[in-house]
Amino acid sequence: MFNKILLATDGSDHSFRAIDQAVKMVEPYKEHVHIDLIYAVDGETSKEDVLNYGDSHTATAKRKEKFLETVDTVKEKGVSSEIIILHGEPAEVLTDYANEHDYDCVVIGSRGRNKLQTLILGSVSHKLVKYIQKPVIVVK
């Protein structure tokens, strides 16, 4: 039974599928589950957000607003959750965070890139499966 889940999210359709799957997975015992929705902001996105919103505090508030709907959706299904924003290269910060905290499993959505795209661009989900020392569920 998974009670504490790290769910990597970025607001994309892929992460919404992962959220739906995680909530379905814990449905029978959802009142005992907490999901941390983790959003990893890379350097480029962080700089763009600060430029768009004027300062880092406003940028952080706007990022959290972006995910309030996601948090509300999870809570409506009866699962406790919160959003946590990390800064840095997504695969690295997610791996470090997951390995440093006491999660039962990690859930992430997959973009479904082809072999060439994965070879050239890399894959966050592949890196998480390889380096996180907990069960990792990849939702296609």
Side-chain angles (χ1 to χ4, degrees):
M1 178 162 84
F2 300 130
N3 293 320
K4 190 172 178 189
I5 298 171
L6 182 157
L7 199 150
T9 184
D10 62 2
S12 69
D13 290 341
H14 313 292
S15 64
F16 281 115
R17 283 197 310 272
I19 291 165
D20 287 341
Q21 189 62 44
V23 171
K24 286 177 191 173
M25 179 176 72
V26 300
E27 179 68 30
Y29 54 94
K30 64 186 175 187
E31 57 277 346
H32 303 288
V33 176
H34 179 80
I35 298 176
D36 283 339
L37 301 160
I38 310 291
Y39 175 47
V41 182
D42 66 11
E44 287 300 314
T45 302
S46 184
K47 289 176 191 173
E48 289 174 18
D49 286 351
V50 170
L51 289 173
N52 284 338
Y53 300 118
D55 62 70
S56 62
H57 296 296
T58 305
T60 298
K62 292 293 185 181
R63 287 184 199 114
K64 285 190 175 187
E65 280 178 23
K66 178 180 175 181
F67 291 100
L68 283 180
E69 181 182 333
T70 304
V71 171
D72 290 342
T73 300
V74 172
K75 285 184 180 179
E76 284 173 11
K77 306 250 184 196
V79 179
S80 158
S81 68
E82 74 176 276
I83 187 75
I84 298 169
I85 298 176
L86 304 176
H87 295 273
E89 197 279 314
E92 289 178 21
V93 296
L94 288 167
T95 298
D96 291 344
Y97 193 84
N99 287 335
E100 291 169 5
H101 293 80
D102 189 29
Y103 289 102
D104 297 315
C105 81
V106 174
V107 179
I108 185 169
S110 174
R111 281 199 171 141
R113 291 182 169 154
N114 66 37
K115 289 180 183 180
L116 178 62
Q117 291 170 320
T118 301
L119 178 67
I120 294 170
L121 301 173
S123 166
V124 172
S125 58
H126 181 263
K127 291 174 185 172
L128 295 184
V129 167
K130 187 172 181 178
Y131 296 112
I132 289 180
Q133 300 162 355
K134 315 239 183 330
V136 178
I137 298 170
V138 179
V139 178
K140 289 235 169 221

